């Protein structure tokens, strides 16, 4: 397997509850990845459909159709691509959109693939335009035109490729141009995981890491993992450290709760930044509406950090609403901070007025 490492350090990678892989995640994740579809937890529909696609291809002795996986970071797209290769008995090559800036970069990868190989292209929406156009032909006809020379003297040399399976992954399927989207035979959207599924992920990982954990301990970590297996595994490792240093190594509900309190991850998975945003919104601006820039200044962060790092989870959790007049804390946000919202936010008519979009 080849791995082009293109992971950028973003504000998200510095957070314990960030969903993008940090260096430590990259080092340990290989050991924790499920190896086949049977081991892969949750995503029932995706698993069932993919199982059919792969079985049918195997029965025909053919290369599997191209697969597009969409969903937030850390939900298992890389893991599934490796499972696809394993189920097809094929090798896998891993790269990403930002690593392919020139069509020539892509031609070099495609021309070195073996027959039936799986090419995993992470962040496929971030590929350059010329590379994307080369990919259309490669996906459809297993052929690329390599341009030799420059200007009027340039010539296109056709190059046959062996049949391969492209597995594209994206956090934003809507950003893919339709001609690219249409060339995938199977598209799957990965959802956030239910707490019960994350508990299974945690028990499985604890087993592999040789960590003792009881059912309540796993439930406590699952409830703070923001629907994301990567975060569940990371929180498990931090709780394990605490249990080893401060107790007998066994993880219970109390140990998990206290350990994650030390790391400022609260019962619902919010961290210091998330709570700072809600607190500023409520305590300084009476719950809003307030403009994003003002809110960012109030918490001492960049506008982009508040918008891209903190807000998506707060919106998903129903704690913050984006309205045309600005950001608004919902009644659930007041309750989460142990505060009582004023009457006009609690009352249905006032609430409807605030949240009208
Ligand atoms: N369904 C699952 N069952 C068990 N573990 C899982 C599952 N999905 C993901 N994981 C675990 O979560 C970690 C992150 O998964 P993975 O790297 O596949 O996510 P990803 O969606 O590819 O993220 P990114 O978009 O950042 O590349 C892996 O170590 C894997 O062990």
């Amino acid at each position: 397997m080849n791995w082009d490492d293109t992971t950028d350090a973003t504000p998200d990678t510095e957070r314990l509850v960030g969903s993008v892989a940090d260096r430590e995640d990259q080092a340990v994740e290989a050991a924790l990845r499920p190896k086949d579809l049977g081991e892969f937890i949750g995503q029932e529909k995706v698993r069932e459909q993919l199982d059919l696609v792969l079985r049918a291809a195997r029965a025909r002795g053919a290369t599997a159709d191209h697969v597009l996986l969409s969903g937030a970071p850390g939900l298992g797209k890389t893991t599934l691509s490796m499972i696809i290769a394993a189920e097809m008995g094929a090798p896998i090559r891993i790269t990403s959109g930002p690593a392919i800036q020139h069509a020539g970069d892509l031609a070099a990868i495609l021309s070195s693939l073996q027959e039936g190989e799986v090419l995993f292209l992470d962040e496929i929406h971030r590929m350059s335009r010329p590379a994307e156009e080369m990919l259309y032909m490669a996906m459809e006809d297993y052929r690329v035109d390599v341009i030799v020379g420059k200007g009027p003297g340039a010539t296109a040399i056709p190059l046959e490729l062996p049949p391969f399976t492209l597995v594209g992954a994206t956090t934003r399927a809507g950003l893919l141009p339709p001609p690219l989207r249409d060339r995938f035979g199977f598209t799957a959207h990965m959802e956030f995981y239910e707490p019960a599924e994350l508990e299974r992920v945690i028990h499985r990982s604890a087993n592999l890491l040789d960590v003792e954990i009881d059912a309540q301990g796993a439930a406590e970590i699952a409830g703070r993992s923001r629907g994301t297996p990567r975060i569940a595994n990371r929180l498990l490792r931090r709780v394990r450290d605490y249990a080893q240093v401060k107790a007998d190594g066994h993880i219970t509900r109390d140990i998990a709760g206290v350990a994650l309190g030390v790391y400022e991850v609260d019962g619902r998975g919010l961290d210091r930044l998330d709570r700072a945003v809600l607190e500023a919104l409520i305590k300084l601006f009476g719950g809003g509406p307030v403009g994003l820039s003002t809110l960012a200044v109030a918490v001492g962060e960049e506008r982009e950090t508040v918008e891209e790092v903190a807000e998506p989870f707060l919106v998903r959790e129903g704690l913050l609403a984006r309205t045309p007049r600005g950001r608004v804390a919902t009644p659930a946000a007041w309750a989460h901070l142990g505060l009582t919202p004023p009457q006009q936010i609690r009352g249905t008519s006032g609430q409807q007025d605030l949240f009208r979009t």
Side-chain angles (χ1 to χ4, degrees):
M1 182 178 78
N2 276 340
W3 189 299
D4 295 334
D5 182 5
T6 54
T7 309
D8 305 323
T10 66
D12 196 45
T13 56
E14 289 154 20
R15 306 172 79 196
L16 192 58
V17 290
S19 50
V20 175
D22 61 22
R23 296 257 158 229
E24 186 192 337
D25 295 326
Q26 289 175 7
V28 297
E29 279 186 353
L32 298 180
R33 285 183 201 286
K35 302 278 183 281
D36 57 42
L37 277 179
E39 252 190 273
F40 194 81
I41 293 162
Q43 311 288 344
E44 302 297 337
K45 268 280 151 256
V46 173
R47 265 195 308 138
E48 188 186 346
Q49 293 166 352
L50 196 55
D51 185 44
L52 285 173
V53 169
L54 300 181
R55 271 173 200 262
R58 276 202 307 266
R60 290 193 303 269
T63 302
D65 247 344
H66 304 304
V67 176
L68 179 65
L69 303 173
S70 71
L75 297 187
K77 298 183 296 298
T78 308
T79 305
L80 260 192
S81 75
M82 291 179 176
I83 289 176
I84 291 171
E87 298 264 344
M88 294 305 291
I92 181 166
R93 180 90 54 104
I94 297 185
T95 186
S96 73
I100 300 177
Q101 279 318 308
H102 307 286
D105 301 335
L106 182 63
I109 294 172
L110 291 171
S111 60
S112 64
L113 292 177
Q114 300 173 34
E115 179 157 355
E117 190 159 353
V118 171
L119 174 62
F120 178 59
L121 228 169
D122 203 3
E123 297 187 78
I124 191 168
H125 58 277
R126 292 179 61 195
M127 218 174 15
S128 74
R129 195 64 217 229
E132 196 178 282
E133 276 164 17
M134 174 179 274
L135 194 59
Y136 295 163
M137 200 198 279
M139 289 171 77
E140 201 152 276
D141 302 330
Y142 299 119
R143 193 167 65 85
V144 288
D145 280 340
V146 180
I147 310 293
V148 180
K150 279 198 172 130
T155 41
I157 301 179
L159 189 68
E160 295 293 325
L161 304 173
F164 66 97
T165 299
L166 177 71
V167 180
T170 179
T171 45
R172 329 256 303 259
L175 289 186
L176 285 195
L180 180 55
R181 252 193 342 238
D182 294 346
R183 282 171 168 82
F184 287 96
F186 174 66
T187 300
H189 180 70
M190 317 225 357
E191 303 288 348
F192 286 99
Y193 290 65
E194 295 298 327
E197 293 168 340
L198 290 177
E199 285 174 36
R200 287 167 56 203
V201 170
I202 291 164
H203 278 299
R204 180 179 171 278
S205 300
N207 204 16
L208 290 169
L209 296 170
D210 219 2
V211 175
E212 274 181 58
I213 186 165
D214 64 24
Q216 287 82 16
E220 190 63 37
I221 298 175
R224 300 181 188 218
S225 300
R226 301 162 78 111
T228 308
R230 170 173 292 137
I231 300 177
N233 284 339
R234 194 185 298 140
L235 297 187
L236 171 66
R237 297 198 301 275
R238 292 294 75 83
V239 174
R240 172 197 58 186
D241 295 348
Y242 183 92
Q244 276 171 357
V245 174
K246 300 277 191 186
D248 60 358
H250 185 92
I251 300 176
T252 60
R253 179 187 295 276
D254 283 351
I255 292 282
V258 176
L260 293 174
V262 169
Y263 288 102
E264 299 186 281
V265 177
D266 72 18
R268 209 162 163 172
L270 275 68
D271 73 350
R272 195 198 54 74
L273 173 67
D274 301 316
R275 279 192 309 275
V277 169
L278 293 184
E279 267 171 28
L281 197 48
I282 288 174
K283 293 185 178 165
L284 300 179
F285 305 107
V290 62
L292 176 61
S293 303
T294 309
L295 187 58
V297 171
V299 293
E301 293 286 351
E302 297 293 324
R303 200 186 135 94
E304 290 72 27
T305 305
V306 172
E307 187 173 26
E308 290 161 27
V309 177
E311 277 191 358
F313 178 66
L314 296 175
V315 171
R316 182 155 65 84
E317 283 288 291
L319 296 169
L320 180 144
R322 292 169 169 157
T323 75
R325 290 193 281 146
R327 273 47 180 180
V328 174
T330 64
W334 289 76
H336 187 67
L337 296 186
L339 301 167
T340 310
Q343 189 60 40
Q344 77 269 22
I345 294 179
R346 263 181 295 155
T348 4
S349 58
Q351 193 175 326
Q352 274 165 359
D353 184 42
L354 269 176
F355 298 123
R356 187 171 296 140
T357 51

